[in-house]
Amino acid sequence: MPPLRRLRPAAQYLRRSTGSQTFSCDHQAEAIAAYAEDRGFRIVRTFLDHRSGLDLEGRPGLQALLAEALGPSPGFEAILVYDVSRWGRFQDLDQGAHYEFLCRRAGLAVEYCVEPFDNDGTPQAVLIKQVKRSMAAEYSRQLSERIGAAKRRAAARGFVQSGRAPFGMVRQVVDAAGRPRALLARGERRADGPYRITLVPGPQAEVATVRRIFRLYAVTGLRLAAIADQLRDEPLDPAPARAWTVASVKRILRNETYVGTLVYGRHASYLKRPLPPPPPETWIRVENAFPALVSRRIFEAAQAQLARDAPRRRSRAEMLDDLRDLLRRRGHLDTGAIDHDPASLCAATYAAHLGGLKGAYALIGYDPRARRTPAKP
């Protein structure tokens, strides 16, 4: 009876490509299993990523693999990968080679199971790998450009491209003819196919809150801080686990979505790297893309008020004069009194430039404790 062949323990690394059956994890695992049986490996660990191959930061599976492979006792002798592109489409070709080198230095072979070469360190293998890495990187560049162009075309037709719906709106899937199909909850994604996403009014309570914010600010003249104070006493939040603030109220007042306008192209990135903000003339703007929650008249009134309320840069001396004037008019100072005064900056601004509110009070000779000290008999 011939002796049993020893099977070498190996880890497999799988990375899924969205929308590509060829690179599905099941397909990769089947090819790797056939390779392992032919080459005498036994799969003992599986590391999996459902992310892009452009960088390491967004790939917890590869991070875990490298951490275990470079640890004191990884428990496997080789790493099996479907092909060079599954290891990563790094834009810096040396990055993928570096991770492979670290594994080899730790005594682990890296095997590419469907490539037409053995990863044995020969000049031919090194050359082919570099060509394959270059092709994978170029594929990502071309794919990024095609996707970017497709998103701009869809945005020009009034369809939302990414991100969650703003407060008071929900995402709705529509088919190729524009017929409504389904509403998407937070975190849900549309199915693949000829579907697009638009925005429609959300829960009635949120819609009413958006309209009240515009009315309080543009009609009654209530300050941003006072509006945020009112909203904090209510159960509706602008985003999960986030309280109402001056900044969140201002974001709603500036958002053209609420008058039905889609604006696309404010921000730019290329291969996951942020680029300088594009100039406004390159933005795509589509009027009446969504049902409006507020009228154009009240929206423009809010923009005009925001422009008037924009803080002018003030020196430390001017800020201290502001606080002295407010103290003279109100008789006391605290965060609420500062934030609700139309002539003052917000309390956070004074605190940031004057060494905190306590430091600001000390500079103008005000002791808030003295106001609370009971008079002696």
Side-chain angles (χ1 to χ4, degrees), residues 327 331-334 357-358 360-372:
L327 177 61
H332 73 282
L333 293 177
D334 56 32
L357 285 182
K358 289 184 179 180
Y361 295 160
L363 290 172
I364 63 173
Y366 173 65
D367 183 0
R369 296 172 300 177
R371 181 171 175 267
R372 297 192 294 268

Side-chain angles (χ1 to χ4, degrees), residues 210-335:
V210 170
R211 290 170 175 163
R212 183 154 61 95
I213 289 172
F214 277 92
R215 185 176 65 255
L216 290 173
Y217 185 70
V219 178
T220 67
L222 201 62
R223 296 199 67 195
L224 298 173
I227 296 174
D229 287 345
Q230 285 192 20
L231 296 174
R232 274 194 290 269
D233 296 332
E234 301 176 3
L236 293 174
D237 287 336
R242 195 189 294 176
W244 285 102
T245 63
V246 169
S248 61
V249 172
K250 188 180 292 186
R251 278 195 299 271
I252 284 182
L253 291 169
R254 291 194 182 281
N255 196 337
E256 291 187 71
T257 301
Y258 297 120
V259 288
T261 301
L262 180 146
V263 181
Y264 180 79
R266 291 177 181 269
H267 309 285
S269 64
Y270 182 65
L271 296 172
K272 293 193 171 182
R273 288 191 290 270
L275 298 175
E281 58 267 21
T282 67
W283 299 351
I284 293 174
R285 304 176 62 86
V286 182
E287 305 288 342
N288 302 315
F290 321 117
L293 299 193
V294 299
S295 69
R296 174 64 65 174
R297 178 184 58 80
I298 197 170
F299 181 84
E300 295 297 345
Q303 305 319 296
Q305 186 62 42
L306 285 170
R308 289 190 292 270
D309 289 346
R312 177 180 61 85
R313 290 186 65 88
R314 304 185 191 183
S315 65
R316 285 172 55 90
E318 288 176 317
M319 291 184 185
L320 293 174
D321 286 342
D322 290 345
L323 294 177
R324 291 189 186 99
D325 178 67
L326 180 59
L327 177 61
R328 184 172 59 254
R329 290 186 283 109
R330 297 292 296 270
H332 73 282
L333 293 177
D334 56 32
T335 299

Side-chain angles (χ1 to χ4, degrees), residues 68-142:
E68 193 164 328
L70 304 181
S73 54
F76 45 86
E77 300 176 8
I79 300 169
L80 308 184
V81 191
Y82 182 81
D83 66 5
V84 172
S85 72
R86 294 303 90 195
W87 188 247
R89 292 178 176 144
F90 302 106
Q91 295 304 295
D92 186 339
L93 305 187
D94 292 336
Q95 187 174 359
H98 172 68
Y99 298 145
E100 182 182 319
F101 165 75
L102 293 178
C103 294
R104 290 203 314 270
R105 189 174 64 175
L108 303 175
V110 178
E111 307 271 348
Y112 299 114
C113 300
V114 300
E115 296 290 8
F117 64 90
D118 289 327
N119 195 18
D120 52 9
T122 61
Q124 294 88 342
V126 173
L127 178 61
I128 294 174
K129 277 193 300 184
Q130 282 298 91
V131 172
K132 291 277 188 175
R133 289 178 181 132
S134 179
M135 292 170 59
E138 180 61 22
Y139 172 81
S140 290
R141 285 192 289 270
Q142 293 179 0

